[in-house]
Every structure is written in structure tokens, then in C-alpha cells.
Amino acid sequence: MEFILYLILILFFTKVFGDLFVRLGQPAVLGKLIVGILLGPAVLGWIEQGSFIDEVSEIGVLLLMFIAGLETDLEQLRRNIKSAFAVAIGGIVLPFIGGYGMGLAFGLSQNFSLFLGVVLSATSVSISVQVLKDMDKLNSREGTTILGAAVIDDVIVVILLAIMMSVIGTGEEVSIGLLIGKKALFFIAVFVVGWFVVPKVMKWMAPLRVSEAVISAALVICFSFAYFAEWLQMAGIIGAFAAGIAVAQTEFKHSVEEKIEPIAYSLFVPVFFVSIGLNVSFAGMGNQWGLVIAMTVMACLTKLLGGWIGARTTGFNSRSSLAIGAGMISRGEVALIIASTGLQAGLVLPEYFTSIVIVVILTTLVTPPLLKMFLKDVKPSY
């Protein structure tokens, strides 16, 4: 019954801390992330990472990105695709150079320094999505540019990781052509299925004489897209986001949106936010705090600057460009997965793994207040 206790603690404290941080003028999501650190092994040790937390949090982040897809204006996303590409490239090049240079500066090997660059090039917008939703900016030009850039970023970073694993990793051959082909297949399949199959599935299941058939159909589509993405070595969150966009083009958009949010935000999403903080542990840190602080500052500044340059050169004003850069700072669960993959492939020295995880968490904690600060005075642009 231990998992019941975990749920009690997570649900109670995320709501209390979320409300507290809103009263302090900060995004509620920041309080929820801090709950994970306080209740986890880093401080109180009341909750431990395990299969239950991992699986429920995975559902949470998939639902969060599915909702983001439901609420995304597809036409706005198309109009801002050029900006999204520019932001993604800027948000990869600068962090990659910064991570590589930082590793060399601290006397780390060239291979490890290159991998550090790849980890810090990653972006996870699941945290930014929550802040954008809370501020009613998810469908703004800034919001859709951040979402589009994150999808492009993920594809490029996965390809970079595959190249590294092929060249300096376990020695296993990785076909880069095959990998790129899988990414292309994913987007083609998602477009075809989303346009032709999803509406038919929704219409077929809606009249079924069972409770909540439409919501069940939407969840089947969400998880199917996520599974397909993972099968093709893409992040599941991209599949869930694509599923949300597909369902949003049907007549069932509003009913799905209305009923899926209570399911997500009452249980699964709080567990996801807390799970991020549970990764923090100070065991085995030794004398690496200088590296952690330097990497965190560099990681935040390079994403912020890279995003700013990409947005500024494609027509955004300076304030909006800073907001977009801030929205790209969080490395979140995407970087944690890449770091774990690198550890298994021998690309990460085990004694530095904890430091990398802490840097990833710190970038995730910094994102909500920075994004809110820069977005606060940005005039709506839809």
C-alpha cells in the first residue's frame, strides 16, 4: 500500500505548494517541482523513485503534451515554422559549443565533453507548456514557436546522440540514414493517420453505448501515437502532442478537452512534476559543485541566447525573443533520458552522472519564473 501513501503526499503537497507559489507571484508549477525535491531523497526521503512513480509520471507528461496539442492553433504553428527552425538551431548550436567547451575547461575527456554538449542541447517544453497554459499564452506566436522549436530540437538531438554512440560509444554500428528515415516516416505516418484515420476512429467510437467512449477513443489515439514515436526512437511526448493536434481537427475537440483535463491534472500531471524533483540526490557529489554551478549558468545562458537570436532574426521583438529563449531552457525529462542512455553506452563517467542530473533539474526549476517574467509584459500576438 506504499503507493497509496505516495499519492496522498503528492496530491496534497502539490496543491498546497502550487497555491503558495502563486501567492508569491511565481508559477504554480515551480512549487510542484520543489515538492519533488523536498519529499524525495534529497531532503525528507518520504518518496522514492520507483516503477509506480515512473509509469504514472510517464502518463502524466503524455497527457500534458496531448492537451497542449489539443489547444494548439495549427495555422499559427504553420505561420511560425520558420521561427521555430531558427530557434531550434540556435538552441542547439550554442549549448552544444558551451557544453563541449565547459567539459574541456574542467579537464574532462573530449568524448565526455562532446556528450555533455549533446545533453545540454536537449529541450523539454513540458514545464513551459504548463506556464504558457496558466498565462493563456499557449496559442500565442511565442507559445507556438516554442512548441515547434522543441519538436525540431528533439529530432536533431536524437540524431546527434546516435552519431555519438556510433562513433565513440559502445562500438555498435548505427545507420544515420536509417535513423533519419525513421523520423521522416514518423511525420509522414502521423500526418496521414491524423488527417484520414483519427476522425474516422473518433466517429466510430463516439456512438458506442458505453460510458465516456469519446474520451477513451482520444486516449487510445494519444497513447498509440506516443508508442509509435517511441518505437521509431522519437520522444513519446512528440507523439502525444501530434495526437492532440489530430484530435483537435475533429468535431470532438471541445468535449475531449473539457473531460481530459480533470483526468490529467487531478492525478497524473502532479505525479509527473514531482517525479522531476525526485531525481535530485546529493550523494556522491564530492567536489563537483563548481562544475555544477558553472554548467547550470552556461546551460541557461546559451539556451536563452540561442533562442533569442533565432526569434529575433525571424521577426520577434526583443522581449518576445527573450520569452522564447526562456521557454527553451528546461532540459527536463528529455535530457534525463539522454543522460541515462549515455551512462549505459559508456559515454558518461558514472562519477559525473549525478552532477549532470542536478544541472538538468536546475535548468527545469529556473524555466518557470524566467518564462513568466519575460512573458508578463508581452502583448498578446495570436
Side-chain angles (χ1 to χ4, degrees), residues 134-196:
D134 290 345
M135 298 183 72
D136 195 27
K137 295 286 180 72
L138 188 61
N139 247 357
S140 64
R141 283 187 67 209
E142 294 79 13
T144 51
T145 299
I146 290 169
L147 286 168
V151 172
I152 296 163
D153 184 300
D154 180 76
V155 173
I156 296 173
V157 167
V158 168
I159 291 171
L160 283 176
L161 177 64
I163 292 171
M164 286 206 63
M165 291 180 69
S166 177
V167 176
I168 61 174
T170 56
E172 296 178 8
E173 286 298 319
V174 177
S175 171
I176 306 306
L178 178 61
L179 192 68
I180 294 173
K182 286 181 178 180
K183 310 308 175 199
L185 174 62
F186 171 79
F187 287 108
I188 293 169
V190 159
F191 175 78
V192 172
V193 173
W195 190 262
F196 296 105

Side-chain angles (χ1 to χ4, degrees), residues 1 24 45 118 132 142 157 182 218 228 253 284-285 329 332 366:
M1 296 295 287
L24 294 173
V118 173
L132 290 165
E142 294 79 13
V157 167
K182 286 181 178 180
F228 182 59
K253 172 187 174 178
M285 281 292 296
I329 288 174
V366 162

Side-chain angles (χ1 to χ4, degrees), residues 24-46:
L24 294 173
Q26 295 298 318
V29 67
L30 181 59
K32 297 171 184 178
L33 291 169
I34 288 174
V35 165
I37 297 173
L38 292 177
L39 298 183
V43 182
L44 297 173
W46 292 355

Side-chain angles (χ1 to χ4, degrees), residues 299-318:
C300 293
L301 290 179
T302 51
K303 274 288 186 187
L304 185 65
L305 183 59
W308 182 86
I309 292 171
R312 198 79 177 93
T313 55
T314 52
F316 285 91
N317 63 39
S318 189

Side-chain angles (χ1 to χ4, degrees), residues 84-119:
F85 264 102
V87 170
I89 297 302
I92 288 175
V93 172
L94 292 188
F96 182 84
I97 293 171
Y100 175 65
M102 184 68 66
L104 293 180
F106 276 82
L108 304 176
S109 70
Q110 179 163 303
N111 287 353
F112 182 45
S113 299
L114 284 169
F115 181 74
L116 200 56
V118 173
V119 172

Side-chain angles (χ1 to χ4, degrees), residues 75-285:
E75 185 55 38
Q76 178 79 286
L77 191 60
R78 284 197 200 101
R79 287 198 300 266
N80 290 293
I81 195 67
K82 179 181 175 184
S83 296
F85 264 102
V87 170
I89 297 302
I92 288 175
V93 172
L94 292 188
F96 182 84
I97 293 171
Y100 175 65
M102 184 68 66
L104 293 180
F106 276 82
L108 304 176
S109 70
Q110 179 163 303
N111 287 353
F112 182 45
S113 299
L114 284 169
F115 181 74
L116 200 56
V118 173
V119 172
L120 297 183
S121 298
T123 296
S124 173
V125 292
S126 50
I127 303 301
S128 298
V129 160
Q130 188 60 57
V131 180
L132 290 165
K133 275 178 60 63
D134 290 345
M135 298 183 72
D136 195 27
K137 295 286 180 72
L138 188 61
N139 247 357
S140 64
R141 283 187 67 209
E142 294 79 13
T144 51
T145 299
I146 290 169
L147 286 168
V151 172
I152 296 163
D153 184 300
D154 180 76
V155 173
I156 296 173
V157 167
V158 168
I159 291 171
L160 283 176
L161 177 64
I163 292 171
M164 286 206 63
M165 291 180 69
S166 177
V167 176
I168 61 174
T170 56
E172 296 178 8
E173 286 298 319
V174 177
S175 171
I176 306 306
L178 178 61
L179 192 68
I180 294 173
K182 286 181 178 180
K183 310 308 175 199
L185 174 62
F186 171 79
F187 287 108
I188 293 169
V190 159
F191 175 78
V192 172
V193 173
W195 190 262
F196 296 105
V197 179
V198 167
K200 288 182 172 59
V201 171
M202 296 294 291
K203 283 183 179 179
W204 176 72
M205 289 192 68
L208 296 181
R209 288 175 289 183
V210 291
S211 59
E212 305 299 351
V214 169
I215 303 304
S216 296
L219 290 174
V220 167
I221 291 164
C222 170
F223 296 139
S224 296
F225 274 47
Y227 182 84
F228 182 59
E230 292 280 357
W231 185 63
L232 291 177
Q233 295 176 288
M234 298 274 285
I237 55 175
I238 293 180
F241 178 65
I245 290 176
V247 172
Q249 309 313 306
T250 72
E251 62 190 275
F252 304 100
K253 172 187 174 178
H254 296 296
S255 59
V256 170
E257 197 174 345
E258 189 178 293
K259 293 184 176 181
I260 207 80
E261 288 198 2
I263 296 172
Y265 288 106
S266 62
L267 176 61
F268 296 102
V269 173
V271 175
F272 163 65
F273 288 141
V274 168
S275 73
I276 295 287
L278 292 179
N279 287 287
V280 176
S281 171
F282 304 123
M285 281 292 296

